[in-house]
């Protein structure tokens, strides 16, 4: 493990150089990794593990779309693809990658298979951090570990196929065997992490819920929509408003500051843009900081978790969700975006 200085703060980091794939394979050579769930994280993690030479099986409810997707991805029923309970019985490491709501629902069916010495693996700290609310309380004689890729399973798989890695956090909640650390690091390397940084289940879920509701998804949509609406209300066309709000951000500026940082992106823009950005970042910071503080406090006290549990457990949740997503998709801004994407040179 290397100690890396991030902006003046030292952190524990594991790289692929110090914990190579060959070492990960050796650590897990006698393990059967059962990936439970084939939705958001399941496909990317299981396929990367399989391609990296680990012994992997998938557990999924038979007859659904995700079962068919698993078959299409090369998982063989009765050999590497099983019903959830059988996969849990066969696995020595159970990667619990169902949605948070589904984890709560399925937990009573799988906990009997968590026999001494096994490992229960998560990619999100939700179920364990809020265990009094979720009911997910693992037995004391198993390892409880987490690798949380900092992105979707789709991104994890795409970057793996490109020969790259998606950074992940890792945590150990319970070390019953004395091998939890080796297991979790090996799994982190196996699923295709770029590097692994240490966290806790609680810190992961607090940062994750804040990030999803903040700059990763919620805040960014709110900011984009506010600017788009302002431009439209002042007479700008949908094409102009969308290009100025979204297209330039995602296609031009994001790649620049992803490459070398915000300062480098600023340095590669016009002096007029630089001056305006430096002058206006303060007002935007001051306007949004109280919202982020409120958001973090709602996460920390458990209110956000409870809202998620209550909403996701409603029988008509999926139906209502589809309506909300459809309204987003059919809004003028994103209908304009669909047209702009089609007009990109690579699509013509």
């Amino acid at each position: 493990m290397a100690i890396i200085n991030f902006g003046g703060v030292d952190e524990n980091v594991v790289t692929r150089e110090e914990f190579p794939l060959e070492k990960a394979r050796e650590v897990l050579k006698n393990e059967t990794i059962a990936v439970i769930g084939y939705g958001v994280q399941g496909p990317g993690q299981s396929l990367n593990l399989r391609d990296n030479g680990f012994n992997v099986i998938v557990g999924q409810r038979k007859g659904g779309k995700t079962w068919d997707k698993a078959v299409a991805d090369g998982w063989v029923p009765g050999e590497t693809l099983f019903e959830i309970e059988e996969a849990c019985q066969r696995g020595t490491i159970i990667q619990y990658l169902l949605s948070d709501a589904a984890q709560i629902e399925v937990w009573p069916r799988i906990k009997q298979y968590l026999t001494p010495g096994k490992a229960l693996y998560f990619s999100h700290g939700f179920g364990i951090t809020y265990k009094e609310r979720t009911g997910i309380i693992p037995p004391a004689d198993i390892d409880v570990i987490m690798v949380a890729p900092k992105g979707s399973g789709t991104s994890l798989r795409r970057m793996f196929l490109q020969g790259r890695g998606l950074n992940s956090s890792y945590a150990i909640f319970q070390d019953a065997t004395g091998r939890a650390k080796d297991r979790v690091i090996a799994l982190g390397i196996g699923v295709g992490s770029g590097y692994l940084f240490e966290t806790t289940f609680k810190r992961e879920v607090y940062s994750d819920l804040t990030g999803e509701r903040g700059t990763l998804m919620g805040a960014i949509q709110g900011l984009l929509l506010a600017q788009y609406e302002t431009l439209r209300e002042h007479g700008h066309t949908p094409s102009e408003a969308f290009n100025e709000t979204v297209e330039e951000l995602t296609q031009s500026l994001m790649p620049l500051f992803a490459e070398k940082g915000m300062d480098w992106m600023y340095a590669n823009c016009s002096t007029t843009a630089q001056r305006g950005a430096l002058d206006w970042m303060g007002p935007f910071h001051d306007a949004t900081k109280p919202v982020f503080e409120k958001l973090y406090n709602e996460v920390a006290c458990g209110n956000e978790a409870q809202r998620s549990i209550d909403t996701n457990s409603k029988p008509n949740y999926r139906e209502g969700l589809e309506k909300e997503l459809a309204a987003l998709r059919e809004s003028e801004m994103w209908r304009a975006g669909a047209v702009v994407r089609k007009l990109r040179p690579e699509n013509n």
Side-chain angles (χ1 to χ4, degrees), residues 33-298:
I33 304 165
V35 176
I36 308 303
Y38 210 72
V40 176
Q41 282 289 336
Q45 294 201 33
S46 61
L47 290 170
N48 290 359
L49 284 164
R50 185 179 71 182
D51 288 354
N52 272 333
F54 296 89
N55 182 24
V56 189
I57 61 176
V58 170
Q60 182 58 41
R61 182 176 61 84
K62 192 173 184 179
K65 290 181 179 179
T66 46
W67 177 278
D68 294 339
K69 174 174 169 49
V71 171
D73 286 343
W75 302 100
V76 181
E79 295 182 15
T80 55
L81 177 61
F82 303 92
E83 291 273 8
I84 289 174
E85 289 86 346
E86 185 172 356
C88 289
Q89 187 175 29
R90 289 171 175 265
T92 59
I93 296 173
I94 297 173
Q95 290 195 324
Y96 206 33
L97 300 184
L98 297 165
S99 69
D100 294 328
Q103 285 184 15
I104 297 169
E105 179 187 347
V106 174
W107 178 250
R109 292 160 46 195
I110 76 145
K111 61 182 180 180
Q112 62 183 304
Y113 301 108
L114 297 172
T115 50
K118 288 193 175 186
L120 179 63
Y121 166 112
F122 294 85
S123 282
H124 188 25
F126 191 99
I128 292 293
T129 299
Y130 303 113
K131 58 185 182 296
E132 291 79 11
R133 299 171 188 260
T134 65
I136 298 175
I137 302 174
D141 51 10
I142 67 167
D143 294 341
V144 182
I145 55 181
M146 176 179 65
V147 173
K150 297 298 102 182
S152 70
T154 300
S155 299
L156 182 73
R157 180 62 175 167
R158 183 178 294 151
M159 293 174 75
F160 175 85
L161 293 174
Q162 293 170 348
R164 302 161 61 202
L166 183 65
N167 300 332
S168 303
S169 61
Y170 76 93
I172 300 168
F173 179 76
Q174 194 167 279
D175 183 5
T177 67
R179 297 188 296 118
K181 187 171 184 179
D182 279 348
R183 278 171 143 179
V184 73
I185 299 300
L187 287 162
I189 297 300
V191 301
S193 301
Y195 74 85
L196 293 149
F197 60 93
E198 191 174 20
T199 189
T200 66
F201 275 66
K202 181 181 286 189
R203 291 211 314 264
E204 190 283 331
V205 75
Y206 283 13
S207 61
D208 189 73
L209 292 182
T210 300
E212 289 170 348
R213 286 147 180 77
T215 58
L216 301 179
M217 296 174 71
I220 193 68
Q221 167 64 14
L223 284 170
L224 294 176
L225 183 59
Q227 178 171 303
Y228 180 88
E229 288 176 341
T230 299
L231 291 172
R232 289 287 288 122
E233 288 160 4
H234 286 273
H236 298 270
T237 66
S239 177
E240 184 169 50
F242 187 86
N243 272 281
E244 211 48 62
T245 300
V246 179
E247 193 74 353
E248 187 171 351
L249 171 69
T250 59
Q251 301 304 299
S252 175
L253 300 182
M254 282 281 200
L256 289 179
F257 84 76
E259 183 181 350
K260 292 186 179 178
M262 185 70 76
D263 59 327
W264 192 75
M265 184 265 277
Y266 277 18
N268 283 273
C269 294
S270 71
T271 54
T272 302
Q274 291 169 3
R275 184 69 268 146
L278 291 168
D279 289 347
W280 279 91
M281 67 181 184
F284 277 110
H285 169 272
D286 295 346
T288 58
K289 182 69 184 299
V291 181
F292 281 103
E293 287 287 352
K294 180 180 179 181
L295 167 58
Y296 190 88
N297 290 334
E298 286 292 286

Side-chain angles (χ1 to χ4, degrees), residues 317-331:
Y317 168 68
R318 282 286 169 191
E319 185 179 321
L321 176 65
E322 287 305 318
K323 287 182 180 178
E324 289 184 274
L325 292 176
L328 186 63
R329 184 171 59 250
E330 295 303 319
S331 66

Side-chain angles (χ1 to χ4, degrees), residues 11-47:
E11 292 188 38
N12 293 325
V13 166
V14 180
T15 67
R16 292 192 281 191
E17 287 71 28
E18 62 183 300
F19 203 110
L21 184 58
E22 293 74 18
K23 182 176 179 179
R25 290 196 192 108
E26 179 65 23
V27 168
L28 301 178
K29 65 181 180 181
N30 297 319
E31 306 268 20
T32 297
I33 304 165
V35 176
I36 308 303
Y38 210 72
V40 176
Q41 282 289 336
Q45 294 201 33
S46 61
L47 290 170

